[in-house]
Amino acid sequence: MTVAVKKDGKHAKSVAPSPREDVARGRSLSSIRNIGIVAHIDAGKTTTTERILYYTGRVYKMGEVHEGTAVMDWMEQEQERGITITSAATTCFWRDRQINIIDTPGHVDFTVEVERSLRVLDGAVGVFCAVGGVQPQSETVWRQAEKYHVPRLAFVNKMDRMGADFDHVVSELREKLAAPAVPIQLPWGSAESFKGIIDLVSMKAFLFNEETLGSDIEEVAIPEEMAVKAEKQRATLIEKTAEADEALLETYLENADVPSNLLVDAIRRATISGHLVPVLCGSSLKNKGVQPLLDAVVDYLPSPVDVPAVTGVHPKTEEPEVREAGDFEPLSSLAFKMATDSFVGKLVFVRIYSGKLEKRQNVFNPRTRKREKIGRLLRLHANSREDVETLFTGEIGAIAGLKNFTTGDTLCAENQAIILESIEFPEPVISMAIEPKTQADRDSLSEALQSMMEEDPTFRVTTNEDTGQTIINGMGELHLEIIKDRILREFKVHANAGKPVVAYRESARTDGTGEFTFEREIGGRGHFGKLVVEVSPRERGTGNQIHLTVSNEVIPPEFHKAIHQGLGDALMTGVLGNYPLVDVDVRVTGGEAHPVDSSEMAFRTAAVMALRDSVGHASPTLLEPIMKLEIIVPEEHLGDVMNDLNGRRGRIREIEARDGVQIVHVDVPLAEMFGYATALRSLTKGRASYTMEPHRFEVVPDSMQKRLLNHT
């Protein structure tokens, strides 16, 4: 029997809206799936997304990453490099379900795109390479999804590649990610003999017609050589699902051979609750296994009504607030991304959690305490867009023309305000000086940098107080390279850039106490403030804490805010090399106020100077970013690579052998990694590859600190 899958994917009845939903939406809230495609770089995320768009009829020609024609990689920089840099959103339909997809980057320099996408998604598909398995960035995105309690499917891609090993990837999912991974499919063959898939739920095998680019699927009996394994794996699937789902457990105890429809429902419940991660397989490049993946998205991942109601706090009372998913609930929406569009200007990407967003509607921003009117509402497809009148609950879209919103802001109704949990972003670890080539470019450069800061919260711009230079800060060499490229191409600004340098931090090694008295006459009026500040080191990575332990009689409460601001200012610039101070406990333990002359300005200045004095007495030290590095190297080049890593102050954590290559896990300071791609190519004749991500900060060796500080 041959099943011809329709290109529009609509082969099921529409789900009618419920009474809590506006009939104008046309499609029930329970029929929406907000999903992200997440993975390590080169696992095949964008290729998988392109196939999804083709089979759902969203596009009529498959784009290819290696040819620079992928619809979702629309930036010039993405097409040239064959990587995803910015998360792209699109909407498609399958079995009359609306699937809103965000294709995210895999490169660690753009991890912010994954973070903010997962914050607003209801489900995710983790794509894993059948050869590489669970790689470093796979672990990072999996942890990010874990943080936001996002239900996941795992898709083992590239089953057609030499060395593909489905069972090994499943065991790595369980061991490295501690994921409750259970296969719901088995591959039929592997590498060159990969033919299709065996579905363990329906116990049927599927072959994909290569002449019709996989659009025609042939349903056949499970081959004899796979029958025993399939039966065994189905029994395991039922057992694992029954363990996670009480309803299925009752059925299973009565009859071990559970009907397919009950198994589908139970897998869905277990997946949404996070007790199960269904594992599928295929080869996106060879057009095999993508439609069953779409079926799994519809069958197992949650709709907005299947996930818990969104929670937040009231902006004034800070009491908890809850918003149920529904069109007639008060509006609550999160701005999760900014983008600059050459045609419509600034775009604010939003996820609607409750209520609806309409053109010409007033929305309230609790952060700025201001309201703004909605101009244009857009539904997105990569870099193209369509105007809509309304965005309903559960939808992802964009607003054009909003001025005072930034990433992480809540859009809500002014009379029923709520602040949704914002998004935390990692600190930059690398910086570079940049300056305009001509005086005419100066203002344009400033505008371009401001625009990109609004788009990307991990990109920062600062000014060196000593030299007056503009410093751009980012997550890695590639991140800054893309920024530099965009300044020239997108904003048409000519600028000179220096070499990338490490963004160090400062901290304290011991306890220290300092004090400062600010006493001055300014403008005919006296200003007085005295503070005693103690500082202690905290565990690495735990951040700073500020406590005012001094009594209100000593320092009146009206000056507390100014003291906090002064201490915050001082933490931004340390005492050794003007690097931010991190992982310190700051306590204001004493001081003195004057009944007439004390002022906010006096206490703010005293706070800055007293903290600097206390840190100076606390054995201040420099910290450097340590990177987690994974190198895949042929065995014959392992010795050369290890010698090179020793020279770079690398600390080997683990070496594992796999299919003729060695995988080296190592911690190495970022300062030693500039130009490593070229060095590794030279050492291994281009046969090795590596990935790197920020891991933690550590104290710089004393011998190097002196050299660095003299240079500064």
Side-chain angles (χ1 to χ4, degrees):
M1 168 192 172
T2 301
V3 181
V5 177
K6 294 180 184 178
K7 283 291 288 293
D8 64 2
K10 297 176 184 175
H11 51 265
K13 288 182 181 177
S14 177
V15 184
S18 78
R20 287 171 55 199
E21 298 164 19
D22 193 327
V23 291
R25 71 184 297 135
R27 185 169 273 100
S28 166
L29 190 52
S30 61
S31 70
I32 291 176
R33 303 287 182 274
N34 290 313
I35 68 161
I37 311 286
V38 298
H40 184 88
I41 192 168
D42 281 344
K45 295 177 306 302
T46 301
T47 302
T48 302
T49 309
E50 293 294 320
R51 298 310 185 261
I52 287 173
L53 297 182
Y54 178 74
Y55 296 129
T56 57
R58 194 68 175 83
V59 297
Y60 292 91
K61 182 179 183 296
M62 286 186 190
E64 300 293 359
V65 175
H66 57 274
E67 293 174 4
T69 57
V71 174
M72 301 300 275
D73 283 353
W74 54 270
M75 289 173 69
E76 287 178 48
Q77 293 88 345
E78 293 177 314
Q79 292 167 356
E80 287 171 357
R81 291 168 172 80
I83 62 169
T84 302
I85 291 168
T86 181
S87 52
T90 189
T91 299
C92 59
F93 298 89
W94 184 256
R95 286 169 41 191
D96 209 51
R97 303 304 200 276
Q98 178 180 329
I99 304 177
N100 301 319
I101 303 174
I102 296 183
D103 174 35
T104 63
H107 198 286
V108 65
D109 284 16
F110 310 104
T111 187
V112 61
E113 294 288 340
V114 185
E115 183 83 24
R116 59 181 166 196
S117 298
L118 286 168
R119 170 66 180 83
V120 298
L121 292 169
D122 300 324
V125 177
V127 180
F128 297 88
C129 173
V131 182
V134 175
Q135 296 163 285
Q137 193 61 12
S138 316
E139 295 184 50
T140 302
V141 297
W142 202 263
R143 282 197 304 271
Q144 287 170 312
E146 201 79 55
K147 181 164 90 175
Y148 294 116
H149 308 293
V150 178
R152 278 143 284 167
L153 303 176
F155 180 64
V156 181
N157 190 27
K158 303 191 179 184
M159 282 305 306
D160 60 304
R161 288 263 308 272
M162 184 67 71
D165 189 338
F166 178 76
D167 293 335
H168 180 72
V169 179
V170 174
S171 67
E172 282 206 330
L173 285 168
R174 293 171 182 157
E175 291 163 18
K176 289 190 175 180
L177 304 180
V182 181
I184 60 169
Q185 293 177 353
L186 291 177
W188 185 350
S190 68
E192 290 179 1
S193 65
F194 179 61
K195 295 179 182 177
I197 61 164
I198 292 161
D199 182 67
L200 299 175
V201 178
S202 64
M203 287 304 278
K204 291 171 184 169
F206 297 97
L207 297 170
F208 300 84
N209 190 325
E210 293 186 15
E211 290 181 11
T212 60
L213 298 176
S215 290
D216 293 334
I217 304 173
E218 187 180 354
E219 185 185 296
V220 297
I222 295 174
E224 281 185 29
E225 69 272 16
M226 295 288 294
V228 174
K229 185 175 182 180
E231 287 288 353
K232 192 176 174 184
Q233 288 282 10
R234 189 177 198 268
T236 302
L237 169 62
I238 293 170
E239 282 176 24
K240 294 290 184 187
T241 310
E243 285 173 17
D245 185 78
E246 284 186 23
L248 187 74
L249 182 60
E250 290 178 22
T251 308
Y252 174 63
L253 292 173
E254 291 171 13
N255 180 10
D257 188 21
V258 176
S260 296
N261 61 327
L262 295 181
L263 184 54
V264 168
D265 293 343
I267 293 172
R268 177 179 179 79
R269 290 190 294 268
T271 304
I272 291 170
S273 67
H275 292 112
L276 202 72
V277 175
V279 185
L280 302 91
C281 59
S283 167
S284 298
L285 188 64
K286 295 296 172 68
N287 311 312
K288 294 174 182 176
V290 177
Q291 296 98 318
L293 174 62
L294 274 164
D295 285 333
V297 166
V298 167
D299 289 337
Y300 305 128
L301 289 182
S303 72
V305 294
D306 296 316
V307 294
V310 70
T311 58
V313 296
H314 192 280
K316 288 183 180 173
T317 65
E318 295 193 357
E319 290 295 315
E321 295 275 335
V322 178
R323 295 286 184 270
E324 300 286 342
D327 294 327
F328 302 115
E329 293 286 316
L331 173 68
S332 65
S333 176
L334 188 74
F336 67 94
K337 176 178 164 124
M338 307 287 132
T340 304
D341 187 285
S342 52
F343 297 104
V344 296
K346 182 178 172 181
L347 281 178
V348 179
F349 286 61
V350 291
R351 157 74 194 264
I352 316 296
Y353 286 101
S354 65
K356 53 193 175 184
L357 207 52
E358 298 176 298
K359 279 171 86 168
R360 295 172 291 280
Q361 174 184 345
N362 280 323
V363 292
F364 181 67
N365 184 344
R367 180 181 61 83
T368 61
R369 301 193 180 278
K370 290 180 181 174
R371 72 172 80 92
E372 278 196 62
K373 184 170 276 192
I374 301 292
R376 291 176 68 185
L377 286 176
L378 305 162
R379 188 169 284 136
L380 303 158
H381 176 48
N383 67 329
S384 62
R385 62 203 70 77
E386 60 177 291
D387 282 86
V388 293
E389 290 294 316
T390 310
L391 287 173
F392 297 96
T393 292
E395 293 197 303
I396 290 172
I399 309 167
L402 286 184
K403 291 185 181 131
N404 299 311
F405 280 84
T406 187
T407 301
D409 279 351
T410 302
L411 293 77
C412 60
E414 188 170 0
N415 60 345
Q416 290 177 294
I418 184 173
I419 299 177
L420 301 178
E421 182 191 353
S422 193
I423 310 167
E424 292 179 9
F425 300 109
E427 290 292 315
V429 295
I430 191 169
S431 61
M432 175 195 288
I434 193 165
E435 58 186 30
K437 280 192 176 178
T438 67
Q439 194 63 33
D441 284 317
R442 186 168 295 279
D443 291 342
S444 301
L445 177 62
S446 178
E447 286 173 22
L449 295 176
Q450 183 62 37
S451 178
M452 284 189 284
M453 265 206 299
E454 288 176 2
E455 285 183 32
D456 182 353
T458 59
F459 173 62
R460 311 271 172 84
V461 179
T462 55
T463 304
N464 185 308
E465 291 179 4
D466 298 328
T467 64
Q469 276 185 314
T470 299
I471 309 293
I472 58 175
N473 306 270
M475 297 305 295
E477 282 184 278
L478 181 61
H479 190 192
L480 295 186
E481 188 185 316
I482 297 294
I483 293 285
K484 203 167 66 173
D485 200 37
R486 286 186 63 196
I487 288 170
L488 175 62
R489 291 201 210 178
E490 209 173 297
F491 296 93
K492 308 289 190 290
V493 179
H494 295 275
N496 294 319
K499 287 185 176 179
V501 294
V502 175
Y504 292 96
R505 299 285 186 270
E506 297 182 23
S507 194
R509 293 196 219 207
T510 61
D511 294 350
T513 303
E515 64 177 74
F516 188 82
T517 304
F518 184 88
E519 190 170 11
R520 199 166 299 170
E521 188 173 308
I522 302 171
R525 192 200 148 194
H527 292 270
F528 177 87
K530 178 183 177 181
L531 288 177
V532 179
V533 173
E534 292 180 1
V535 67
S536 305
R538 301 189 74 215
E539 194 176 329
R540 199 66 61 232
T542 55
N544 298 324
Q545 276 193 348
I546 296 174
H547 310 278
L548 264 68
T549 57
V550 66
S551 71
N552 290 344
E553 286 76 33
V554 176
I555 307 291
E558 60 263 31
F559 301 121
H560 289 188
K561 186 177 179 182
I563 292 169
H564 269 283
Q565 288 172 338
L567 294 173
D569 292 343
L571 289 169
M572 294 299 292
T573 55
V575 299
L576 295 175
N578 288 332
Y579 301 113
L581 271 161
V582 296
D583 303 332
V584 290
D585 189 67
V586 180
R587 299 175 303 282
V588 178
T589 56
E592 191 181 325
H594 190 278
V596 177
D597 288 349
S598 281
S599 66
E600 289 188 357
M601 186 268 283
F603 274 109
R604 185 166 181 165
T605 307
V608 172
M609 302 310 292
L611 179 58
R612 290 179 69 84
D613 187 34
S614 64
V615 173
H617 289 102
S619 303
T621 185
L622 279 187
L623 305 178
E624 63 181 341
I626 303 297
M627 310 302 282
K628 190 156 67 170
L629 189 66
E630 184 189 83
I631 308 165
I632 301 174
V633 57
E635 203 153 350
E636 61 265 35
H637 297 295
L638 181 63
D640 293 335
V641 169
M642 297 284 281
N643 287 336
D644 181 66
L645 287 170
N646 287 333
R648 295 174 186 270
R649 297 192 284 137
R651 289 201 301 275
I652 310 296
R653 282 186 289 119
E654 183 189 4
I655 301 174
E656 54 177 307
R658 191 191 301 165
D659 295 328
V661 297
Q662 298 287 326
I663 301 172
V664 183
H665 300 273
V666 57
D667 292 343
V668 62
L670 175 61
E672 307 290 348
M673 292 306 292
F674 293 117
Y676 187 63
T678 307
L680 188 63
R681 266 199 305 271
S682 171
L683 284 169
T684 64
K685 300 182 175 64
R687 295 178 63 201
S689 63
Y690 79 98
T691 53
M692 181 169 72
E693 62 177 314
H695 186 34
R696 63 180 181 273
F697 278 86
E698 281 186 4
V699 173
V700 177
D702 289 341
S703 57
M704 290 188 65
Q705 287 207 32
K706 289 174 187 170
R707 194 168 73 243
L708 281 168
L709 293 170
N710 288 338
H711 182 69
T712 306

